[in-house]
Amino acid sequence: MYRIGFGFDTHKLELNRDFWLGGLLIPSAKGAVGHSDADVLLHAICDALLGASGLRDIGTQFPDTDPQYKGIDSKILLTKVYDLITENHFEIVNLDTTLCLEMPKLSPFVPEIQQSISALLHILPGQVSIKAKTSEKLGFIGREEGVSAYCVVLLAIKNN
Ligand code: MG
């Protein structure tokens, strides 16, 4: 038995902010703004995992009105989500993600992001696909005002 999940997230970009993506600090003139560390990729992955396992979404599990999550490292959130899906007898088959942003170019960082996410989810880097693309200068992404991430995940229900 399998369950598919989909996640999406967007964050605003501002100058002189840390830019966390997939658990990595990326050298960049601009960084993402949010209640947590604003790691848009980890948030999309959390939502895909929660959606696939019927556990609602990141905002339900970790409300941004709760001060304990202010500025929180999103790697902690993803670890909590991993624990939740494991307790609910799911295991990850694979996940496929797309990041949409104009700058910086991410291809040099993709292997390290794959390593970071696969380690957090106790799977192999080959089970984690990271794609990055621009929006051809169109819209808020094209104007470098924001960044978006999409994730699809496949979970298997464990027999034991
Ligand atoms: Mg978010």
Side-chain angles (χ1 to χ4, degrees):
M1 279 289 289
Y2 296 97
R3 298 284 297 259
I4 195 167
F6 171 72
F8 166 78
D9 196 29
T10 290
H11 280 269
K12 186 178 177 186
L13 290 174
E14 282 182 1
L15 288 168
N16 304 314
R17 296 273 191 159
D18 285 345
F19 195 15
W20 289 97
L21 272 181
L24 243 68
L25 190 55
I26 304 291
S28 171
K30 291 184 176 182
V33 185
H35 187 257
S36 65
D37 66 1
D39 191 322
V40 69
L41 180 57
L42 293 192
H43 294 178
I45 293 170
C46 284
D47 260 0
L49 291 167
L50 291 169
S53 49
L55 296 169
R56 301 282 304 269
D57 55 37
I58 195 169
T60 308
Q61 295 289 346
F62 316 112
D64 65 6
T65 49
D66 188 333
Q68 71 170 304
Y69 300 121
K70 183 154 176 54
I72 196 169
D73 180 342
S74 296
K75 293 191 285 297
I76 294 169
L77 301 182
L78 186 59
T79 298
K80 286 176 184 280
V81 168
Y82 173 79
D83 291 343
L84 278 171
I85 64 163
T86 302
E87 284 161 19
N88 282 272
H89 311 290
F90 290 104
E91 60 187 7
I92 298 167
V93 178
N94 74 306
L95 55 94
D96 186 18
T97 68
T98 299
L99 278 158
C100 298
L101 79 170
E102 213 62 35
M103 290 287 285
K105 294 293 175 211
L106 287 178
S107 56
F109 305 105
V110 164
E112 216 176 329
I113 294 174
Q114 272 180 308
Q115 286 286 349
S116 156
I117 293 168
S118 61
L120 290 166
L121 294 176
H122 306 278
I123 53 179
L124 300 170
Q127 290 169 278
V128 179
S129 156
I130 310 291
K131 306 184 298 300
K133 61 199 297 160
T134 71
S135 68
E136 302 282 335
K137 307 274 181 201
L138 295 168
F140 71 90
I141 289 168
R143 292 189 297 271
E144 299 176 35
E145 294 169 1
V147 54
S148 294
Y150 302 81
C151 176
V152 174
V153 65
L154 189 67
L155 300 184
I157 301 168
K158 283 189 273 191
N159 292 321
N160 50 13

